[in-house]
Amino acid sequence: LFAEALDLAKSLGAGSIEIRSLYSSGLVRSEQLREDDSFMMHSLDLTKGLDGLWEGFHKSATRKSIRQAHDRGVCLREVRDEEGLRCFFNLHRASRKLHGLPLHPYRFFAALWDVFSTDGRLQILLAEKDQTPLGMLLLMKYRNRISCDYGASDPQHKQLRVNHFLTWEAIQRGVREGYRDFDFGRTSVQNTGIMEYKNKWGASLSSIPYFFYPPLPSGSNATENRVSLKKSLVAALCRYAPDCVQEPIGKFCYRHLG
């Protein structure tokens, strides 16, 4: 398979190949590839039921935050139209800018919505208070798994514990609908804050090996430094550029920088 992938990359003029493997990394490992273990995946076993899952949550960091969100009047609404999708995108744009990350084009989410929302495989949950949008969570459903693929919240309302509220609502939905696993998504091991947040839900942890071709030569500090500098420049551009150019920047980054 790798030989076929290499031929395809050459025919397309691609300079590199990236392979992500959660369950089949043993079939991918090769001296021709560089392996990177910088990402982890958190998942919950939904077959434990709501009571069993609740007992596994951290008492003060997770359970208390969920209760606070309800006590402070946070309500749930499911997005059902393009107006709601636009609301999600606006929160997503603000979140990406705050963290210095390239913005996904709106048409990416519109395409996901058009293809997957009609049969319920994609759902967007909205947290609000007094009809003010506070945060949103985009869920994808496939076979026995429900995953939290994109989330965004207004940092001005952090005290309302919006992220905990939305995550718990999504977990409850997964249990009620008969899914077996809840996928929190991948996390960089360097992002200690997000790692700690997900750990406190009692989630199990798995490594997501990445494989790259061509591998970096040993001792290639200069190459690694150039990659690090590129990421820093992109982060600064995304963080400080005006809103009107965030989407074009994102289109360029995802097309040319992966």
Side-chain angles (χ1 to χ4, degrees), residues 145-166:
R145 180 178 295 270
I146 181 170
S147 61
C148 233
D149 282 87
Y150 298 97
S153 61
D154 187 341
Q156 295 183 10
H157 300 286
K158 185 177 180 181
Q159 77 281 2
L160 295 177
R161 305 293 187 256
V162 174
N163 292 328
H164 288 86
F165 172 83
L166 284 170

Side-chain angles (χ1 to χ4, degrees), residues 1-2 5 17-21 28 33-34 36 208-213:
L1 286 177
F2 175 68
I17 299 174
E18 177 183 316
I19 302 171
R20 306 179 189 184
S21 176
V28 180
L33 300 171
R34 174 174 62 90
D36 188 313
I208 308 176
Y210 279 54
F211 299 90
F212 298 93
Y213 178 89

Side-chain angles (χ1 to χ4, degrees), residues 5-73:
L6 188 57
D7 289 341
L8 178 61
K10 290 179 179 178
S11 68
L12 296 174
S16 62
I17 299 174
E18 177 183 316
I19 302 171
R20 306 179 189 184
S21 176
L22 179 59
Y23 301 114
S24 305
S25 56
L27 301 176
V28 180
R29 286 188 176 91
S30 167
E31 292 182 355
Q32 295 179 281
L33 300 171
R34 174 174 62 90
E35 183 173 351
D36 188 313
D37 295 313
S38 298
F39 290 94
M40 306 294 287
M41 186 190 79
H42 290 77
S43 62
L44 277 177
D45 179 4
L46 299 184
T47 63
K48 294 178 179 179
L50 294 178
D51 291 340
L53 291 167
W54 183 264
E55 288 300 315
F57 299 164
H58 192 280
K59 290 184 179 180
S60 59
T62 304
R63 292 190 213 169
K64 182 179 179 180
S65 294
I66 294 169
R67 293 191 182 104
Q68 286 176 336
H70 285 280
D71 292 343
R72 293 168 184 176

Side-chain angles (χ1 to χ4, degrees), residues 38 42 61 63-64 67 75 111 117-118 141 158 171 187 206 221 225 237 251 253:
S38 298
H42 290 77
R63 292 190 213 169
K64 182 179 179 180
R67 293 191 182 104
C75 301
S117 68
T118 54
K141 303 173 182 180
K158 185 177 180 181
I171 290 170
T187 309
S206 304
N221 291 331
N225 289 339
L237 182 62
K251 289 179 181 178
C253 289

Side-chain angles (χ1 to χ4, degrees), residues 191-238:
N191 195 335
T192 55
I194 298 297
M195 287 286 291
E196 183 178 5
Y197 170 81
K198 295 179 180 180
N199 286 337
K200 290 183 177 179
W201 287 90
S204 61
L205 202 58
S206 304
S207 175
I208 308 176
Y210 279 54
F211 299 90
F212 298 93
Y213 178 89
L216 292 175
S218 58
S220 56
N221 291 331
T223 301
E224 292 179 352
N225 289 339
R226 284 197 298 271
V227 171
S228 178
L229 177 61
K230 185 188 297 183
K231 288 182 178 179
S232 298
L233 291 174
V234 169
L237 182 62
C238 293

Side-chain angles (χ1 to χ4, degrees), residues 75-114:
C75 301
L76 181 72
R77 179 163 63 88
E78 184 178 336
V79 169
R80 300 185 182 278
D81 53 29
E82 186 177 354
E83 181 181 356
L85 183 63
R86 280 285 181 185
C87 181
F88 165 79
F89 182 73
N90 290 336
L91 279 170
H92 178 70
R93 175 172 54 196
S95 179
R96 301 294 282 188
K97 183 173 183 177
L98 177 67
H99 294 98
L101 298 171
L103 176 66
H104 303 86
Y106 175 77
R107 66 179 184 180
F108 168 71
F109 293 108
L112 287 177
W113 179 265
D114 290 342

